[in-house]
C-alpha cells in the first residue's frame, strides 16, 4: 500500500529540515528572551525597592511590584531545597521538551518559534534560581483593586506564550493528520 501523499510530504520535510534546536534562529530567539528577561528583572531590582510596594503603570490595573519567588509557579514551594529542586527540574524539562518536539519543530513554524520561547523563559528563571538566593524576581502585577493575579515576570510570560504556540501547533498537526486519514 502506498503512503498517503501528505504523509510522504511530511516524511520528506522531516528528513530535509533540521531540528529547530540546531538552528541559529532558534538560539537567537532563546537569547532575546533571556536578555529581555534579565534586563527587566535587573531594572526591577534596581528601581522597585522596597519589596511589595506597588508602582502604578496603568492605573491600578497594571503595577510593577518587586517580589521574589523562592518556589515555582503560583507559589509552589518545596521547602529550603526548592531553589535547587526547581533548577534541576527546569533543566530536565528543557531537555525533554527539546527531544519531544524535535519532529514538530520541523513541521510547524509555530512550534519552531514556541519551543525557543519556552526554553528562553525557562533559562531566564533558571538564571535567577542560581544567582538570587531570595528566588526568582517577579514584578508584573496585574489585577483590579485587591483582586490580583500572581506577580510574574517576562520569563513566565514567555513560557506561557510559547506553550500556547505549542498547543496550537499540536492542534494543527492533529487536524492535518485527521484530514489526511479521512481523504
Amino acid at each position: 500500500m502506498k503512503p498517503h501523499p501528505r504523509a510522504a510530504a511530511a516524511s520528506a520535510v522531516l528528513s530535509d529540515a533540521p531540528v529547530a534546536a540546531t538552528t541559529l534562529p532558534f538560539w537567537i530567539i532563546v537569547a532575546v528572551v533571556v536578555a529581555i528577561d534579565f534586563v527587566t528583572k535587573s531594572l526591577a531590582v534596581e528601581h522597585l525597592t522596597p519589596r511589595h510596594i506597588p508602582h502604578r503603570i496603568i492605573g491600578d490595573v497594571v503595577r510593577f511590584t518587586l517580589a521574589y519567588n523562592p518556589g515555582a509557579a503560583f507559589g509552589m514551594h518545596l521547602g529550603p531545597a526548592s531553589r535547587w529542586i526547581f533548577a534541576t527540574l527546569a533543566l530536565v524539562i528543557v531537555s525533554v521538551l527539546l527531544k519531544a518536539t524535535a519532529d514538530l519543530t520541523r513541521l510547524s513554524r509555530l512550534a519552531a518559534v514556541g519551543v525557543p520561547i519556552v526554553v528562553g523563559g525557562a533559562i531566564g528563571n533558571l538564571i535567577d534560581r542560581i544567582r538570587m538566593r531570595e528566588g526568582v524576581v517577579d514584578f508584573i502585577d496585574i489585577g483590579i483593586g485587591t483582586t490580583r493575579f500572581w506577580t510574574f515576570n517576562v520569563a513566565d510570560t514567555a513560557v506561557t506564550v510559547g506553550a500556547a504556540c505549542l498547543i496550537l501547533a499540536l492542534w494543527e498537526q492533529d487536524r492535518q493528520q485527521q484530514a489526511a486519514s479521512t481523504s
Side-chain angles (χ1 to χ4, degrees), residues 78-90 129:
L78 299 175
S82 285
R83 176 181 178 196
W84 300 111
I85 291 170
F86 289 124
T88 303
L89 188 59
R129 289 190 196 292

Side-chain angles (χ1 to χ4, degrees), residues 18-33 112-117:
V19 174
T22 64
T23 66
L24 183 60
F26 180 96
W27 293 106
I28 288 172
I29 293 169
V30 170
V32 166
V33 170
V113 170
V115 172
I117 291 173

Side-chain angles (χ1 to χ4, degrees), residues 104 108 110-111 113-115 117 160-171:
L104 182 61
S108 168
L110 193 56
V113 170
V115 172
I117 291 173
T160 303
V161 169
C165 290
L166 280 173
I167 289 167
L168 290 171
L170 287 167
W171 176 73

Side-chain angles (χ1 to χ4, degrees), residues 1-172:
M1 179 182 248
K2 277 185 156 179
H4 190 277
R6 285 190 185 153
S11 177
V13 167
L14 284 175
S15 62
D16 294 343
V19 174
T22 64
T23 66
L24 183 60
F26 180 96
W27 293 106
I28 288 172
I29 293 169
V30 170
V32 166
V33 170
V34 171
I36 292 170
D37 182 63
F38 186 83
V39 168
T40 57
K41 287 175 178 175
S42 296
L43 290 169
V45 168
E46 184 179 339
H47 296 289
L48 299 177
T49 55
R51 296 180 195 186
H52 307 294
I53 304 297
H55 301 264
R56 291 179 177 201
I57 303 302
I58 302 174
D60 194 40
V61 176
V62 179
R63 310 182 308 195
F64 287 168
T65 305
L66 179 62
Y68 293 89
N69 181 357
F74 313 118
M76 280 194 316
H77 199 276
L78 299 175
S82 285
R83 176 181 178 196
W84 300 111
I85 291 170
F86 289 124
T88 303
L89 188 59
L91 291 171
V92 169
I93 289 170
V94 166
S95 296
V96 169
L97 178 68
L98 290 174
K99 288 179 181 150
T101 61
D103 287 345
L104 182 61
T105 61
R106 290 176 177 163
L107 292 172
S108 168
R109 288 178 197 227
L110 193 56
V113 170
V115 172
I117 291 173
V118 170
V119 171
I123 290 171
N125 281 339
L126 177 62
I127 289 169
D128 273 13
R129 289 190 196 292
I130 292 169
R131 75 181 185 104
M132 307 291 281
R133 200 171 214 54
E134 300 93 336
V136 173
V137 174
D138 288 331
F139 64 94
I140 303 169
D141 176 6
I142 295 177
I144 298 174
T146 57
T147 306
R148 315 294 307 169
F149 191 72
W150 292 274
T151 305
F152 59 99
N153 58 46
V154 171
D156 298 335
T157 303
V159 169
T160 303
V161 169
C165 290
L166 280 173
I167 289 167
L168 290 171
L170 287 167
W171 176 73
E172 179 61 26

